[in-house]
Amino acid sequence: MIPAQRKKFNQQLTAEKYKSFLDQLQDGYPEIPFRVAETPVFIPKALKEKLIAAGEEIIKLIKQPNFKDLTTDAIPTDWNVPNEGGQPHFLTFDFGICKNDAGELTPMLIEMQGFPSLYGFQPHLGKTFASHFDIDPSLNYFLNGFNEEQYIQLLKEVIIGKHQPHEVALMDLDAPNQKTAIDFFVTQKLLGIKILALEDIKKIGRQLFYEENGKQIQLKRIYNRLIFDEVANDTAIFKTSFDPREELDIEWVTHPNWFYRISKYTMPFLDSEFVPETRFLNQIDSIPPDLENYVLKPLFSFAGMGVIIDVTEQDINAIQDPENWILQQKVNYEPAVQSPTGGVKAEIRMMYLWPDGGEPQLCTNLARLSRGKMIGVRYNANFDWVGGTVAFMEE
């Protein structure tokens, strides 16, 4: 998107150099099971400013005094966890890169989450790109004036808080074998916290413990990476571990309820040039005649599961729970990243940290490249110049 930087990078890139970059990225870690793209994305200042402005509009909504009232119904009754905090600790906003009516590149909101993503891996990825390729130092994968040292310090403040690293654990279902496990290992290296599978944690009274060298160590804070959808059909696992829905003496980073509050559910409440028209399906008076310009999404799903891209009236009429679906105007991605074999579509995730007692701070980003119908691994199999990456933005 910055022509001079794109040309410069493409001239450097060879199959051998890409392989060497991947080897360096994985050095000391298990093999990365998802595809890392051949290139970063180069974001011009004008587009960066739009991305920042779009994020600020969303945060303004989240900070409204009535936000919790607006999103009460976002939390499934069966998954409402007690002792919810007053704020999320993580905000991630995904924007497709499009063209507006004036022919300018502009972001359009695709997804939003009050849930952590690759906060350890993304700076590691950016640093590896910068060390392996000749990237102009006036471009940065950090934002808002952050550098690596300041970012790690804020990450510690948010995740560890007032506790010791051994009292804090990153938790997921079968954590070491998750697809994003490299992020877990990078985070552990940065912060010194434990990585625990759900079944590694045991409940005694209201307290949670894990075992190390034959000793029971109390957990004070959980860096939660577990999405309840993954255990919804097999809650028996809680019987040998703990049930998050019980009253517990534990701090959540971030509290599980925020996964639902800040999600597709929030999008109908936003009115912005950077947000496609989005309505709850049960609040639509009539089906739009131009359904080819809309996409149908379930509220309670992740990783693009259940999305209907080519919507028909039959699809809409077949929905049994329209209150749990949104109808959203399609976003037309602009193939703005020039590969050696043509344009590639891009999505940028703006990543914020929100410390206790502080304000949300934009720190870094994630980017994804796509040639398929949707962004995501299952839609981009067997393509090159697709996958996860990071954006370097003009200062």
Side-chain angles (χ1 to χ4, degrees):
M1 298 179 201
I2 305 176
Q5 302 297 341
R6 172 52 53 208
K7 181 179 179 182
K8 176 183 172 184
F9 185 90
N10 289 13
Q11 288 173 342
Q12 297 179 61
L13 185 65
T14 63
E16 294 75 19
K17 197 155 189 176
Y18 176 53
K19 182 182 183 303
S20 175
F21 156 74
L22 291 178
D23 289 344
Q24 182 180 337
L25 187 68
Q26 297 176 147
D27 187 29
Y29 299 107
E31 184 176 350
I32 300 172
F34 57 86
R35 193 175 199 283
V36 177
E38 286 84 343
T39 179
V41 180
F42 301 114
I43 300 289
K45 186 175 182 181
L47 180 56
K48 181 182 84 167
E49 289 174 349
K50 289 179 183 177
L51 285 160
I52 292 170
E56 288 175 348
E57 288 184 7
I58 300 168
I59 289 171
K60 186 177 179 181
L61 171 71
I62 294 167
K63 292 178 75 174
Q64 285 182 189
N66 67 337
F67 183 74
K68 280 196 174 184
D69 293 332
L70 281 177
T71 56
T72 296
D73 292 338
I75 306 166
T77 306
D78 291 345
W79 294 106
N80 198 330
V81 175
N83 302 317
E84 181 183 328
Q87 67 185 60
H89 296 90
F90 307 91
L91 295 172
T92 64
F93 307 143
D94 292 352
F95 297 95
I97 302 305
C98 309
K99 266 192 177 176
N100 62 18
D101 293 340
E104 303 165 334
L105 291 177
T106 195
M108 290 296 287
L109 184 66
I110 304 297
E111 190 86 71
M112 53 196 294
Q113 287 186 336
F115 189 80
S117 55
L118 305 176
Y119 280 84
F121 179 68
Q122 286 307 116
H124 171 63
L125 177 59
K127 187 177 182 179
T128 306
F129 265 124
S131 66
H132 204 78
F133 294 92
D134 180 17
I135 295 175
D136 195 307
S138 67
L139 307 176
N140 203 338
Y141 53 90
F142 285 118
L143 290 137
N144 200 24
F146 275 91
N147 59 31
E148 183 178 30
E149 182 181 354
Q150 293 165 333
Y151 177 77
I152 294 171
Q153 186 57 43
L154 183 59
L155 199 63
K156 285 181 178 177
E157 181 184 345
V158 168
I159 294 176
I160 299 175
K162 63 181 182 294
H163 304 292
Q164 297 301 311
H166 70 272
E167 297 174 320
V168 181
L170 184 157
M171 181 196 76
D172 203 342
L173 188 70
D174 191 20
N177 296 310
Q178 286 287 336
K179 195 165 187 178
T180 55
I182 187 165
D183 177 65
F184 301 175
F185 293 116
V186 173
T187 301
Q188 182 181 52
K189 185 176 180 181
L190 290 175
L191 307 184
I193 63 176
K194 301 295 296 182
I195 299 172
L196 297 178
L198 178 65
E199 55 267 33
D200 294 331
I201 301 172
K202 307 302 177 188
K203 182 170 77 80
I204 303 174
R206 290 168 51 111
Q207 297 176 334
L208 301 180
F209 295 83
Y210 67 94
E211 186 174 312
E212 188 169 75
N213 299 324
K215 295 181 179 179
Q216 294 292 324
I217 299 174
Q218 185 182 352
L219 276 178
K220 304 289 183 65
R221 197 165 169 97
I222 290 177
Y223 177 28
N224 182 46
R225 302 295 293 270
L226 174 66
I227 295 173
F228 288 155
D229 298 53
E230 297 178 332
V231 295
N233 296 321
D234 186 22
T235 56
I237 192 170
F238 294 158
K239 294 177 181 177
T240 57
S241 179
F242 74 99
D243 190 331
R245 297 166 294 185
E246 295 179 357
E247 290 282 350
L248 300 165
D249 294 335
I250 195 72
E251 296 174 7
W252 293 97
V253 190
T254 193
H255 192 280
N257 289 358
W258 287 103
F259 174 78
Y260 299 105
R261 290 191 184 279
I262 301 172
S263 64
K264 291 187 285 287
Y265 188 94
T266 321
M267 292 183 67
F269 301 110
L270 289 162
D271 182 15
S272 167
E273 66 175 292
F274 305 119
V275 179
E277 178 194 329
T278 306
R279 291 181 285 171
F280 294 111
L281 193 58
N282 67 329
Q283 295 180 7
I284 291 173
D285 296 326
S286 60
I287 295 175
D290 58 337
L291 271 180
E292 69 275 10
N293 295 320
Y294 289 83
V295 61
L296 192 59
K297 296 181 178 181
L299 289 175
F300 306 115
S301 72
F302 62 102
M305 298 295 288
V307 173
I308 301 174
I309 304 171
D310 300 313
V311 188
T312 66
E313 282 196 38
Q314 289 76 17
D315 292 324
I316 292 175
N317 292 329
I319 299 297
Q320 299 296 310
D321 55 341
E323 70 279 5
N324 291 327
W325 291 75
I326 54 172
L327 189 66
Q328 185 178 84
Q329 207 163 33
K330 275 184 180 174
V331 168
N332 295 312
Y333 290 75
E334 177 70 16
V337 176
Q338 294 304 311
S339 82
T341 54
V344 179
K345 294 175 283 189
E347 194 169 284
I348 306 296
R349 173 174 294 177
M350 303 294 269
M351 299 168 62
Y352 300 74
L353 290 169
W354 195 342
D356 291 326
E359 293 291 323
Q361 298 186 49
L362 176 59
C363 301
T364 189
N365 76 88
L366 177 154
R368 289 184 288 187
L369 298 181
S370 172
R371 295 178 187 263
K373 211 165 192 179
M374 286 177 65
I375 300 280
V377 174
R378 67 177 60 87
Y379 305 101
N380 286 277
N382 305 316
F383 290 123
D384 63 357
W385 278 66
V386 299
T389 183
V390 67
F392 282 76
M393 305 195 189
E394 274 187 326
E395 298 287 355

